[in-house]
mmCIF file with all atom_site columns, all heavy atoms in Angstrom:
data_model
loop_
_atom_site.group_PDB
_atom_site.id
_atom_site.type_symbol
_atom_site.label_atom_id
_atom_site.label_alt_id
_atom_site.label_comp_id
_atom_site.label_asym_id
_atom_site.label_entity_id
_atom_site.label_seq_id
_atom_site.pdbx_PDB_ins_code
_atom_site.Cartn_x
_atom_site.Cartn_y
_atom_site.Cartn_z
_atom_site.occupancy
_atom_site.B_iso_or_equiv
_atom_site.pdbx_formal_charge
_atom_site.auth_seq_id
_atom_site.auth_comp_id
_atom_site.auth_asym_id
_atom_site.auth_atom_id
_atom_site.pdbx_PDB_model_num
ATOM 1  N N   . ARG A 1 52  ? 88.567  116.697 99.172  1.00 85.00 ? 67  ARG A N   1
ATOM 2  C CA  . ARG A 1 52  ? 87.881  116.320 97.938  1.00 85.00 ? 67  ARG A CA  1
ATOM 3  C C   . ARG A 1 52  ? 88.300  117.183 96.768  1.00 85.00 ? 67  ARG A C   1
ATOM 4  O O   . ARG A 1 52  ? 88.309  116.724 95.623  1.00 85.00 ? 67  ARG A O   1
ATOM 5  C CB  . ARG A 1 52  ? 86.369  116.472 98.140  1.00 85.00 ? 67  ARG A CB  1
ATOM 6  C CG  . ARG A 1 52  ? 85.794  115.336 98.908  1.00 85.00 ? 67  ARG A CG  1
ATOM 7  C CD  . ARG A 1 52  ? 84.612  114.764 98.173  1.00 85.00 ? 67  ARG A CD  1
ATOM 8  N NE  . ARG A 1 52  ? 84.148  113.559 98.813  1.00 85.00 ? 67  ARG A NE  1
ATOM 9  C CZ  . ARG A 1 52  ? 82.920  113.410 99.292  1.00 85.00 ? 67  ARG A CZ  1
ATOM 10 N NH1 . ARG A 1 52  ? 82.059  114.386 99.202  1.00 85.00 ? 67  ARG A NH1 1
ATOM 11 N NH2 . ARG A 1 52  ? 82.579  112.274 99.836  1.00 85.00 ? 67  ARG A NH2 1
ATOM 12 N N   . SER A 1 66  ? 106.954 119.696 101.379 1.00 77.00 ? 81  SER A N   1
ATOM 13 C CA  . SER A 1 66  ? 106.821 120.882 102.235 1.00 77.00 ? 81  SER A CA  1
ATOM 14 C C   . SER A 1 66  ? 107.011 120.581 103.706 1.00 77.00 ? 81  SER A C   1
ATOM 15 O O   . SER A 1 66  ? 107.497 121.421 104.445 1.00 77.00 ? 81  SER A O   1
ATOM 16 C CB  . SER A 1 66  ? 105.471 121.555 102.010 1.00 77.00 ? 81  SER A CB  1
ATOM 17 O OG  . SER A 1 66  ? 105.450 122.102 100.720 1.00 77.00 ? 81  SER A OG  1
ATOM 18 N N   . LYS A 1 148 ? 93.706  101.896 93.342  1.00 89.00 ? 163 LYS A N   1
ATOM 19 C CA  . LYS A 1 148 ? 93.986  102.527 92.049  1.00 89.00 ? 163 LYS A CA  1
ATOM 20 C C   . LYS A 1 148 ? 94.755  103.841 92.191  1.00 89.00 ? 163 LYS A C   1
ATOM 21 O O   . LYS A 1 148 ? 95.253  104.385 91.221  1.00 89.00 ? 163 LYS A O   1
ATOM 22 C CB  . LYS A 1 148 ? 92.674  102.763 91.291  1.00 89.00 ? 163 LYS A CB  1
ATOM 23 C CG  . LYS A 1 148 ? 92.132  101.489 90.676  1.00 89.00 ? 163 LYS A CG  1
ATOM 24 C CD  . LYS A 1 148 ? 90.927  101.761 89.828  1.00 89.00 ? 163 LYS A CD  1
ATOM 25 C CE  . LYS A 1 148 ? 89.743  102.109 90.700  1.00 89.00 ? 163 LYS A CE  1
ATOM 26 N NZ  . LYS A 1 148 ? 88.576  102.489 89.894  1.00 89.00 ? 163 LYS A NZ  1
ATOM 27 N N   . ASN A 1 177 ? 112.435 94.682  71.834  1.00 74.00 ? 192 ASN A N   1
ATOM 28 C CA  . ASN A 1 177 ? 111.742 95.884  71.408  1.00 74.00 ? 192 ASN A CA  1
ATOM 29 C C   . ASN A 1 177 ? 110.330 95.988  71.987  1.00 74.00 ? 192 ASN A C   1
ATOM 30 O O   . ASN A 1 177 ? 109.812 97.076  72.214  1.00 74.00 ? 192 ASN A O   1
ATOM 31 C CB  . ASN A 1 177 ? 111.665 95.871  69.881  1.00 74.00 ? 192 ASN A CB  1
ATOM 32 C CG  . ASN A 1 177 ? 111.931 97.249  69.330  1.00 74.00 ? 192 ASN A CG  1
ATOM 33 O OD1 . ASN A 1 177 ? 112.177 98.179  70.090  1.00 74.00 ? 192 ASN A OD1 1
ATOM 34 N ND2 . ASN A 1 177 ? 111.889 97.379  68.024  1.00 74.00 ? 192 ASN A ND2 1
ATOM 35 N N   . ARG B 2 62  ? 87.266  100.845 84.454  1.00 91.00 ? 85  ARG B N   1
ATOM 36 C CA  . ARG B 2 62  ? 86.956  101.251 85.828  1.00 91.00 ? 85  ARG B CA  1
ATOM 37 C C   . ARG B 2 62  ? 87.868  100.592 86.850  1.00 91.00 ? 85  ARG B C   1
ATOM 38 O O   . ARG B 2 62  ? 87.983  101.067 87.969  1.00 91.00 ? 85  ARG B O   1
ATOM 39 C CB  . ARG B 2 62  ? 85.508  100.903 86.168  1.00 91.00 ? 85  ARG B CB  1
ATOM 40 C CG  . ARG B 2 62  ? 84.514  101.878 85.608  1.00 91.00 ? 85  ARG B CG  1
ATOM 41 C CD  . ARG B 2 62  ? 83.121  101.416 85.931  1.00 91.00 ? 85  ARG B CD  1
ATOM 42 N NE  . ARG B 2 62  ? 82.862  101.436 87.350  1.00 91.00 ? 85  ARG B NE  1
ATOM 43 C CZ  . ARG B 2 62  ? 82.264  102.449 87.971  1.00 91.00 ? 85  ARG B CZ  1
ATOM 44 N NH1 . ARG B 2 62  ? 81.886  103.491 87.300  1.00 91.00 ? 85  ARG B NH1 1
ATOM 45 N NH2 . ARG B 2 62  ? 82.052  102.399 89.264  1.00 91.00 ? 85  ARG B NH2 1
ATOM 46 N N   . ARG B 2 79  ? 105.447 100.793 70.119  1.00 78.00 ? 102 ARG B N   1
ATOM 47 C CA  . ARG B 2 79  ? 106.084 99.535  69.737  1.00 78.00 ? 102 ARG B CA  1
ATOM 48 C C   . ARG B 2 79  ? 105.178 98.711  68.828  1.00 78.00 ? 102 ARG B C   1
ATOM 49 O O   . ARG B 2 79  ? 105.635 97.869  68.083  1.00 78.00 ? 102 ARG B O   1
ATOM 50 C CB  . ARG B 2 79  ? 106.427 98.712  70.977  1.00 78.00 ? 102 ARG B CB  1
ATOM 51 C CG  . ARG B 2 79  ? 107.344 99.418  71.924  1.00 78.00 ? 102 ARG B CG  1
ATOM 52 C CD  . ARG B 2 79  ? 108.790 99.331  71.451  1.00 78.00 ? 102 ARG B CD  1
ATOM 53 N NE  . ARG B 2 79  ? 109.634 100.114 72.304  1.00 78.00 ? 102 ARG B NE  1
ATOM 54 C CZ  . ARG B 2 79  ? 110.490 101.037 71.864  1.00 78.00 ? 102 ARG B CZ  1
ATOM 55 N NH1 . ARG B 2 79  ? 110.586 101.269 70.563  1.00 78.00 ? 102 ARG B NH1 1
ATOM 56 N NH2 . ARG B 2 79  ? 111.232 101.703 72.684  1.00 78.00 ? 102 ARG B NH2 1
ATOM 57 N N   . LYS B 2 157 ? 90.623  116.062 88.556  1.00 90.00 ? 180 LYS B N   1
ATOM 58 C CA  . LYS B 2 157 ? 91.693  115.700 89.489  1.00 90.00 ? 180 LYS B CA  1
ATOM 59 C C   . LYS B 2 157 ? 92.622  114.643 88.904  1.00 90.00 ? 180 LYS B C   1
ATOM 60 O O   . LYS B 2 157 ? 93.812  114.630 89.175  1.00 90.00 ? 180 LYS B O   1
ATOM 61 C CB  . LYS B 2 157 ? 91.088  115.208 90.809  1.00 90.00 ? 180 LYS B CB  1
ATOM 62 C CG  . LYS B 2 157 ? 90.324  116.318 91.495  1.00 90.00 ? 180 LYS B CG  1
ATOM 63 C CD  . LYS B 2 157 ? 90.038  116.094 92.952  1.00 90.00 ? 180 LYS B CD  1
ATOM 64 C CE  . LYS B 2 157 ? 89.527  114.733 93.287  1.00 90.00 ? 180 LYS B CE  1
ATOM 65 N NZ  . LYS B 2 157 ? 89.105  114.616 94.687  1.00 90.00 ? 180 LYS B NZ  1
ATOM 66 N N   . ASN B 2 187 ? 104.700 124.662 96.168  1.00 84.00 ? 210 ASN B N   1
ATOM 67 C CA  . ASN B 2 187 ? 103.562 123.842 96.575  1.00 84.00 ? 210 ASN B CA  1
ATOM 68 C C   . ASN B 2 187 ? 102.339 124.691 96.910  1.00 84.00 ? 210 ASN B C   1
ATOM 69 O O   . ASN B 2 187 ? 101.211 124.298 96.644  1.00 84.00 ? 210 ASN B O   1
ATOM 70 C CB  . ASN B 2 187 ? 103.923 122.968 97.771  1.00 84.00 ? 210 ASN B CB  1
ATOM 71 C CG  . ASN B 2 187 ? 104.558 121.663 97.347  1.00 84.00 ? 210 ASN B CG  1
ATOM 72 O OD1 . ASN B 2 187 ? 104.254 121.168 96.265  1.00 84.00 ? 210 ASN B OD1 1
ATOM 73 N ND2 . ASN B 2 187 ? 105.428 121.128 98.159  1.00 84.00 ? 210 ASN B ND2 1
#
Side-chain angles (χ1 to χ4, degrees):
Chain A
R67 282 231 173 121
S81 292
K163 283 186 288 175
N192 221 1
Chain B
R85 281 177 65 96
R102 301 280 175 232
K180 296 197 314 187
N210 274 330

